[in-house]
Amino acid sequence: MKKIILTVLASIFLISCATLKSVPEDLTAAQIIQMGQNYLVTGDYKSAELCYSTVLERYGTNAATYVEAKYELGNVYYKSHQYDKAYDTFTELLDIYGYSQGQLPGAYKKLAQIGLDKIPEKKLKNKEAEN
């Protein structure tokens, strides 16, 4: 009986560790963002990136959803040491907030600035960090 349970648990673990190939069409933006967060926690940055990019493609016309997914994407880039992409993403978010006139959730502006501040300047290629 223990062997069966261990086999089932191992199978579930292996399936959950597989890199995501596509995001099901019937999921909401919130569900996909949650999937992305789950992948980020496990260190599967490619799957997390796919989730957040999918949210941007499918639901990017909603400004609040766009900002949330874009921030999460920047966080993926930061955690995966893609500092130039993280810099560009966080900078874009701060630029968007400059034009938003208070229409967007304020938390992501602050989080984007924190993310930008955490990027080591010496790790940036071809950019001078403006902090």
Side-chain angles (χ1 to χ4, degrees):
M1 184 65 161
K2 285 184 180 180
K3 287 183 181 180
I4 294 172
I5 292 172
L6 289 175
T7 302
V8 169
L9 289 175
S11 298
I12 291 170
F13 177 75
L14 290 174
I15 290 169
S16 67
C17 290
T19 299
L20 186 66
K21 302 292 184 217
S22 66
V23 177
E25 292 288 331
D26 61 339
L27 298 180
T28 65
Q31 290 170 320
I32 300 169
I33 288 171
Q34 183 60 55
M35 278 178 58
Q37 290 170 343
N38 293 341
Y39 282 115
L40 186 60
V41 166
T42 64
D44 186 350
Y45 302 125
K46 287 185 182 215
S47 294
E49 182 179 2
L50 176 62
C51 288
Y52 300 129
S53 295
T54 300
V55 170
L56 292 171
E57 290 170 18
R58 292 183 191 169
Y59 303 101
T61 57
N62 177 300
T65 301
Y66 180 89
V67 166
E68 181 179 5
K70 198 70 169 181
Y71 166 75
E72 295 293 351
L73 189 58
N75 198 29
V76 168
Y77 294 145
Y78 174 78
K79 289 193 179 266
S80 61
H81 306 285
Q82 298 179 63
Y83 297 118
D84 287 312
K85 286 184 175 183
Y87 177 92
D88 291 342
T89 303
F90 293 140
T91 301
E92 177 189 341
L93 278 174
L94 293 174
D95 289 345
I96 289 170
Y97 274 97
Y99 296 106
S100 73
Q101 300 175 353
Q103 301 297 315
L104 297 171
Y108 293 106
K109 178 181 181 185
K110 188 172 208 169
L111 289 169
Q113 185 61 59
I114 290 169
L116 192 61
D117 291 343
K118 289 191 314 186
I119 297 171
E121 286 184 49
K122 63 184 177 188
K123 296 287 185 173
L124 291 174
K125 301 175 182 113
N126 307 323
K127 290 186 183 67
E128 291 181 16
E130 298 172 12
N131 294 326

